[in-house]
Short mmCIF file of all heavy atoms in Angstrom, two decimals:
data_model
loop_
_atom_site.label_atom_id
_atom_site.label_comp_id
_atom_site.label_asym_id
_atom_site.label_seq_id
_atom_site.Cartn_x
_atom_site.Cartn_y
_atom_site.Cartn_z
N TYR A 257 -4.69 1.95 -6.31
CA TYR A 257 -5.78 1.65 -7.23
C TYR A 257 -5.89 0.14 -7.45
O TYR A 257 -4.93 -0.60 -7.26
CB TYR A 257 -5.55 2.35 -8.57
CG TYR A 257 -5.79 3.84 -8.53
CD1 TYR A 257 -4.74 4.74 -8.54
CD2 TYR A 257 -7.09 4.34 -8.50
CE1 TYR A 257 -4.96 6.11 -8.51
CE2 TYR A 257 -7.33 5.71 -8.46
CZ TYR A 257 -6.26 6.59 -8.47
OH TYR A 257 -6.49 7.94 -8.44
N PRO A 258 -7.07 -0.33 -7.89
CA PRO A 258 -7.20 -1.76 -8.21
C PRO A 258 -6.32 -2.13 -9.39
O PRO A 258 -5.96 -1.28 -10.22
CB PRO A 258 -8.69 -1.90 -8.54
CG PRO A 258 -9.15 -0.54 -8.91
CD PRO A 258 -8.33 0.40 -8.08
N LYS A 259 -5.98 -3.41 -9.49
CA LYS A 259 -5.09 -3.88 -10.55
C LYS A 259 -5.65 -3.57 -11.94
O LYS A 259 -4.89 -3.44 -12.91
CB LYS A 259 -4.83 -5.37 -10.42
CG LYS A 259 -6.08 -6.25 -10.47
CD LYS A 259 -5.73 -7.71 -10.33
CE LYS A 259 -6.97 -8.61 -10.26
NZ LYS A 259 -7.96 -8.37 -11.31
N GLU A 260 -6.98 -3.47 -12.04
CA GLU A 260 -7.60 -3.15 -13.32
C GLU A 260 -7.13 -1.80 -13.87
O GLU A 260 -7.23 -1.55 -15.08
CB GLU A 260 -9.12 -3.15 -13.19
CG GLU A 260 -9.75 -4.51 -13.02
CD GLU A 260 -9.75 -5.00 -11.58
OE1 GLU A 260 -9.14 -4.34 -10.71
OE2 GLU A 260 -10.40 -6.03 -11.32
N PHE A 261 -6.64 -0.94 -12.99
CA PHE A 261 -6.20 0.39 -13.41
C PHE A 261 -4.69 0.49 -13.60
O PHE A 261 -4.19 1.58 -13.91
CB PHE A 261 -6.63 1.44 -12.38
CG PHE A 261 -8.12 1.66 -12.28
CD1 PHE A 261 -8.64 2.40 -11.22
CD2 PHE A 261 -8.99 1.13 -13.21
CE1 PHE A 261 -10.02 2.60 -11.11
CE2 PHE A 261 -10.37 1.32 -13.11
CZ PHE A 261 -10.88 2.06 -12.06
N ASP A 262 -3.97 -0.61 -13.43
CA ASP A 262 -2.51 -0.54 -13.50
C ASP A 262 -2.01 0.09 -14.79
O ASP A 262 -1.08 0.91 -14.78
CB ASP A 262 -1.90 -1.95 -13.37
CG ASP A 262 -1.92 -2.48 -11.94
OD1 ASP A 262 -2.24 -1.69 -11.03
OD2 ASP A 262 -1.62 -3.67 -11.74
N GLU A 263 -2.63 -0.27 -15.92
CA GLU A 263 -2.14 0.23 -17.20
C GLU A 263 -2.51 1.69 -17.45
O GLU A 263 -2.11 2.27 -18.46
CB GLU A 263 -2.68 -0.63 -18.34
CG GLU A 263 -4.19 -0.65 -18.47
CD GLU A 263 -4.65 -1.63 -19.54
OE1 GLU A 263 -4.13 -1.56 -20.67
OE2 GLU A 263 -5.55 -2.44 -19.24
N PHE A 264 -3.28 2.28 -16.53
CA PHE A 264 -3.68 3.68 -16.69
C PHE A 264 -3.01 4.61 -15.69
O PHE A 264 -3.35 5.79 -15.63
CB PHE A 264 -5.20 3.80 -16.56
CG PHE A 264 -5.97 2.85 -17.43
CD1 PHE A 264 -6.87 1.95 -16.88
CD2 PHE A 264 -5.78 2.84 -18.80
CE1 PHE A 264 -7.57 1.06 -17.68
CE2 PHE A 264 -6.47 1.95 -19.62
CZ PHE A 264 -7.37 1.06 -19.06
N ARG A 265 -2.04 4.08 -14.93
CA ARG A 265 -1.41 4.91 -13.91
C ARG A 265 -0.67 6.10 -14.53
O ARG A 265 -0.58 7.16 -13.91
CB ARG A 265 -0.45 4.08 -13.04
CG ARG A 265 -1.14 3.11 -12.10
CD ARG A 265 -0.28 2.84 -10.87
NE ARG A 265 -0.16 4.02 -10.05
CZ ARG A 265 -0.87 4.25 -8.95
NH1 ARG A 265 -1.75 3.38 -8.55
NH2 ARG A 265 -0.69 5.34 -8.25
N HIS A 266 -0.17 5.92 -15.75
CA HIS A 266 0.52 7.04 -16.41
C HIS A 266 -0.46 8.18 -16.69
O HIS A 266 -0.05 9.35 -16.73
CB HIS A 266 1.19 6.57 -17.70
CG HIS A 266 0.22 6.16 -18.77
ND1 HIS A 266 -0.53 5.01 -18.70
CD2 HIS A 266 -0.12 6.76 -19.95
CE1 HIS A 266 -1.28 4.90 -19.78
NE2 HIS A 266 -1.06 5.95 -20.55
N ILE A 267 -1.74 7.84 -16.85
CA ILE A 267 -2.74 8.88 -17.09
C ILE A 267 -2.94 9.70 -15.82
O ILE A 267 -3.02 10.94 -15.88
CB ILE A 267 -4.06 8.25 -17.56
CG1 ILE A 267 -3.85 7.58 -18.92
CG2 ILE A 267 -5.18 9.30 -17.63
CD1 ILE A 267 -5.05 6.86 -19.46
N ILE A 268 -3.01 9.03 -14.68
CA ILE A 268 -3.10 9.75 -13.40
C ILE A 268 -1.89 10.65 -13.22
O ILE A 268 -2.01 11.82 -12.82
CB ILE A 268 -3.23 8.77 -12.22
CG1 ILE A 268 -4.62 8.14 -12.20
CG2 ILE A 268 -2.94 9.45 -10.89
CD1 ILE A 268 -5.74 9.12 -11.89
N SER A 269 -0.71 10.14 -13.54
CA SER A 269 0.52 10.95 -13.40
C SER A 269 0.45 12.19 -14.27
O SER A 269 0.81 13.30 -13.83
CB SER A 269 1.75 10.11 -13.76
OG SER A 269 1.90 9.02 -12.87
N GLU A 270 -0.02 12.02 -15.52
CA GLU A 270 -0.15 13.17 -16.42
C GLU A 270 -1.15 14.19 -15.88
O GLU A 270 -0.93 15.40 -15.94
CB GLU A 270 -0.59 12.69 -17.80
CG GLU A 270 0.49 12.04 -18.62
CD GLU A 270 1.41 13.05 -19.29
OE1 GLU A 270 0.99 14.21 -19.46
OE2 GLU A 270 2.55 12.68 -19.60
N LEU A 271 -2.26 13.69 -15.34
CA LEU A 271 -3.28 14.59 -14.83
C LEU A 271 -2.79 15.34 -13.59
O LEU A 271 -3.07 16.52 -13.41
CB LEU A 271 -4.55 13.80 -14.50
CG LEU A 271 -5.29 13.23 -15.72
CD1 LEU A 271 -6.41 12.30 -15.27
CD2 LEU A 271 -5.85 14.35 -16.59
N VAL A 272 -2.06 14.64 -12.73
CA VAL A 272 -1.50 15.28 -11.54
C VAL A 272 -0.52 16.37 -11.94
O VAL A 272 -0.52 17.48 -11.38
CB VAL A 272 -0.84 14.24 -10.61
CG1 VAL A 272 -0.04 14.93 -9.51
CG2 VAL A 272 -1.88 13.31 -10.00
N GLU A 273 0.33 16.07 -12.92
CA GLU A 273 1.37 17.01 -13.30
C GLU A 273 0.85 18.16 -14.17
O GLU A 273 1.24 19.31 -13.98
CB GLU A 273 2.49 16.27 -14.05
CG GLU A 273 3.25 15.27 -13.21
CD GLU A 273 3.97 15.92 -12.04
OE1 GLU A 273 4.50 17.04 -12.22
OE2 GLU A 273 3.97 15.32 -10.94
N ASN A 274 -0.04 17.85 -15.11
CA ASN A 274 -0.41 18.83 -16.13
C ASN A 274 -1.90 19.16 -16.20
O ASN A 274 -2.29 20.11 -16.87
CB ASN A 274 0.04 18.33 -17.51
CG ASN A 274 1.51 18.00 -17.57
OD1 ASN A 274 2.33 18.81 -17.15
ND2 ASN A 274 1.85 16.81 -18.07
N GLY A 275 -2.73 18.35 -15.54
CA GLY A 275 -4.17 18.58 -15.58
C GLY A 275 -4.83 18.08 -16.84
O GLY A 275 -6.06 18.16 -16.98
N VAL A 276 -4.04 17.57 -17.81
CA VAL A 276 -4.57 17.11 -19.09
C VAL A 276 -3.83 15.86 -19.53
O VAL A 276 -2.61 15.75 -19.36
CB VAL A 276 -4.42 18.19 -20.19
CG1 VAL A 276 -4.93 17.67 -21.53
CG2 VAL A 276 -5.17 19.45 -19.81
N TYR A 277 -4.58 14.91 -20.10
CA TYR A 277 -4.00 13.76 -20.78
C TYR A 277 -4.64 13.66 -22.16
O TYR A 277 -5.87 13.77 -22.28
CB TYR A 277 -4.24 12.45 -20.01
CG TYR A 277 -3.84 11.23 -20.81
CD1 TYR A 277 -2.52 10.81 -20.83
CD2 TYR A 277 -4.77 10.52 -21.56
CE1 TYR A 277 -2.13 9.71 -21.58
CE2 TYR A 277 -4.39 9.42 -22.31
CZ TYR A 277 -3.08 9.02 -22.31
OH TYR A 277 -2.69 7.93 -23.05
N ASP A 278 -3.82 13.46 -23.19
CA ASP A 278 -4.36 13.34 -24.54
C ASP A 278 -3.44 12.45 -25.36
O ASP A 278 -2.25 12.75 -25.49
CB ASP A 278 -4.49 14.71 -25.19
CG ASP A 278 -5.36 14.67 -26.45
OD1 ASP A 278 -5.08 13.83 -27.34
OD2 ASP A 278 -6.32 15.45 -26.53
N ASP A 279 -4.00 11.37 -25.90
CA ASP A 279 -3.22 10.49 -26.77
C ASP A 279 -3.80 10.43 -28.18
O ASP A 279 -3.45 9.55 -28.97
CB ASP A 279 -3.10 9.09 -26.17
CG ASP A 279 -4.44 8.39 -26.01
OD1 ASP A 279 -5.45 8.88 -26.55
OD2 ASP A 279 -4.48 7.34 -25.34
N GLY A 280 -4.71 11.35 -28.48
CA GLY A 280 -5.33 11.39 -29.79
C GLY A 280 -6.64 10.64 -29.86
O GLY A 280 -7.48 10.93 -30.72
N VAL A 281 -6.84 9.69 -28.97
CA VAL A 281 -8.09 8.94 -28.90
C VAL A 281 -8.81 9.23 -27.59
O VAL A 281 -10.02 9.44 -27.56
CB VAL A 281 -7.84 7.42 -29.04
CG1 VAL A 281 -9.15 6.64 -28.92
CG2 VAL A 281 -7.17 7.12 -30.37
N TRP A 282 -8.07 9.27 -26.51
CA TRP A 282 -8.62 9.61 -25.21
C TRP A 282 -8.13 10.99 -24.79
O TRP A 282 -6.93 11.28 -24.84
CB TRP A 282 -8.18 8.61 -24.14
CG TRP A 282 -8.67 7.21 -24.35
CD1 TRP A 282 -9.67 6.80 -25.18
CD2 TRP A 282 -8.17 6.04 -23.72
NE1 TRP A 282 -9.83 5.43 -25.09
CE2 TRP A 282 -8.93 4.94 -24.20
CE3 TRP A 282 -7.16 5.80 -22.78
CZ2 TRP A 282 -8.70 3.63 -23.79
CZ3 TRP A 282 -6.94 4.50 -22.36
CH2 TRP A 282 -7.70 3.43 -22.86
N HIS A 283 -9.06 11.84 -24.41
CA HIS A 283 -8.72 13.16 -23.89
C HIS A 283 -9.37 13.31 -22.51
O HIS A 283 -10.59 13.15 -22.39
CB HIS A 283 -9.23 14.27 -24.82
CG HIS A 283 -9.00 15.65 -24.28
ND1 HIS A 283 -7.85 16.37 -24.55
CD2 HIS A 283 -9.77 16.44 -23.49
CE1 HIS A 283 -7.94 17.55 -23.94
NE2 HIS A 283 -9.09 17.61 -23.29
N VAL A 284 -8.56 13.58 -21.50
CA VAL A 284 -9.06 13.78 -20.14
C VAL A 284 -8.49 15.07 -19.61
O VAL A 284 -7.28 15.31 -19.71
CB VAL A 284 -8.65 12.61 -19.20
CG1 VAL A 284 -9.26 12.81 -17.81
CG2 VAL A 284 -9.06 11.26 -19.78
N GLU A 285 -9.34 15.91 -19.04
CA GLU A 285 -8.83 17.13 -18.42
C GLU A 285 -9.55 17.38 -17.10
O GLU A 285 -10.74 17.11 -16.96
CB GLU A 285 -8.96 18.33 -19.34
CG GLU A 285 -10.36 18.70 -19.76
CD GLU A 285 -10.37 19.91 -20.70
OE1 GLU A 285 -9.89 19.79 -21.84
OE2 GLU A 285 -10.88 20.96 -20.28
N ILE A 286 -8.78 17.87 -16.14
CA ILE A 286 -9.30 18.21 -14.82
C ILE A 286 -9.30 19.72 -14.67
O ILE A 286 -8.33 20.40 -15.02
CB ILE A 286 -8.44 17.59 -13.70
CG1 ILE A 286 -8.46 16.07 -13.78
CG2 ILE A 286 -8.94 18.03 -12.32
CD1 ILE A 286 -7.56 15.40 -12.74
N PHE A 287 -10.40 20.25 -14.17
CA PHE A 287 -10.48 21.66 -13.81
C PHE A 287 -10.44 21.75 -12.29
O PHE A 287 -11.31 21.20 -11.60
CB PHE A 287 -11.78 22.27 -14.33
CG PHE A 287 -12.05 23.66 -13.79
CD1 PHE A 287 -11.41 24.76 -14.33
CD2 PHE A 287 -12.93 23.85 -12.73
CE1 PHE A 287 -11.65 26.03 -13.84
CE2 PHE A 287 -13.17 25.12 -12.22
CZ PHE A 287 -12.53 26.21 -12.77
N LEU A 288 -9.44 22.40 -11.75
CA LEU A 288 -9.31 22.56 -10.31
C LEU A 288 -10.06 23.83 -9.89
O LEU A 288 -9.63 24.94 -10.17
CB LEU A 288 -7.84 22.65 -9.90
CG LEU A 288 -7.00 21.39 -10.15
CD1 LEU A 288 -5.55 21.63 -9.78
CD2 LEU A 288 -7.57 20.22 -9.37
N GLY A 289 -11.22 23.63 -9.27
CA GLY A 289 -12.02 24.76 -8.85
C GLY A 289 -13.47 24.37 -8.67
O GLY A 289 -13.82 23.20 -8.55
N ASP A 290 -14.32 25.39 -8.66
CA ASP A 290 -15.75 25.25 -8.38
C ASP A 290 -16.48 24.62 -9.56
O ASP A 290 -16.49 25.17 -10.66
CB ASP A 290 -16.31 26.64 -8.08
CG ASP A 290 -17.75 26.62 -7.59
OD1 ASP A 290 -18.51 25.69 -7.96
OD2 ASP A 290 -18.13 27.53 -6.84
N ALA A 291 -17.12 23.47 -9.34
CA ALA A 291 -17.85 22.78 -10.40
C ALA A 291 -18.98 23.63 -10.95
O ALA A 291 -19.26 23.62 -12.16
CB ALA A 291 -18.39 21.44 -9.89
N ARG A 292 -19.66 24.38 -10.09
CA ARG A 292 -20.78 25.21 -10.54
C ARG A 292 -20.31 26.27 -11.53
O ARG A 292 -21.01 26.59 -12.49
CB ARG A 292 -21.47 25.88 -9.34
CG ARG A 292 -22.25 24.94 -8.44
CD ARG A 292 -23.50 24.37 -9.09
NE ARG A 292 -24.48 25.35 -9.48
CZ ARG A 292 -25.52 25.71 -8.75
NH1 ARG A 292 -25.72 25.16 -7.55
NH2 ARG A 292 -26.40 26.59 -9.19
N GLU A 293 -19.15 26.83 -11.28
CA GLU A 293 -18.61 27.83 -12.20
C GLU A 293 -18.10 27.17 -13.48
O GLU A 293 -18.28 27.71 -14.58
CB GLU A 293 -17.48 28.61 -11.51
CG GLU A 293 -17.94 29.45 -10.34
CD GLU A 293 -19.03 30.44 -10.74
OE1 GLU A 293 -18.87 31.11 -11.78
OE2 GLU A 293 -20.04 30.54 -10.01
N TYR A 294 -17.50 26.01 -13.33
CA TYR A 294 -16.93 25.32 -14.50
C TYR A 294 -18.00 24.95 -15.52
O TYR A 294 -17.82 25.18 -16.72
CB TYR A 294 -16.20 24.07 -14.03
CG TYR A 294 -15.65 23.21 -15.15
CD1 TYR A 294 -14.60 23.67 -15.95
CD2 TYR A 294 -16.17 21.95 -15.40
CE1 TYR A 294 -14.10 22.89 -16.98
CE2 TYR A 294 -15.67 21.16 -16.43
CZ TYR A 294 -14.63 21.63 -17.21
OH TYR A 294 -14.13 20.85 -18.22
N ILE A 295 -19.11 24.39 -15.06
CA ILE A 295 -20.11 23.92 -16.02
C ILE A 295 -20.75 25.07 -16.81
O ILE A 295 -21.22 24.86 -17.92
CB ILE A 295 -21.19 23.05 -15.34
CG1 ILE A 295 -21.97 23.84 -14.29
CG2 ILE A 295 -20.56 21.80 -14.73
CD1 ILE A 295 -23.08 23.03 -13.64
N LYS A 296 -20.69 26.27 -16.24
CA LYS A 296 -21.23 27.42 -16.97
C LYS A 296 -20.33 27.85 -18.12
O LYS A 296 -20.75 28.62 -18.98
CB LYS A 296 -21.43 28.59 -16.00
CG LYS A 296 -22.56 28.35 -15.00
CD LYS A 296 -22.67 29.48 -14.00
CE LYS A 296 -23.78 29.20 -12.99
NZ LYS A 296 -23.88 30.25 -11.95
N THR A 297 -19.10 27.34 -18.16
CA THR A 297 -18.18 27.68 -19.24
C THR A 297 -18.27 26.69 -20.40
O THR A 297 -17.69 26.94 -21.47
CB THR A 297 -16.72 27.70 -18.74
OG1 THR A 297 -16.29 26.36 -18.44
CG2 THR A 297 -16.59 28.58 -17.50
#
Side-chain angles (χ1 to χ4, degrees):
Y257 286 105
K259 59 180 175 50
E260 288 84 352
F261 293 168
D262 284 351
E263 62 185 309
F264 309 122
R265 289 207 67 100
H266 67 289
I267 296 177
I268 287 294
S269 297
E270 284 280 338
L271 292 172
V272 170
E273 294 299 321
N274 305 311
V276 178
Y277 171 83
D278 194 307
D279 63 11
V281 178
W282 296 344
H283 176 90
V284 183
E285 62 180 67
I286 298 177
F287 170 80
L288 295 176
D290 188 331
R292 291 291 298 265
E293 295 303 314
Y294 176 68
I295 62 178
K296 291 176 182 177
T297 70

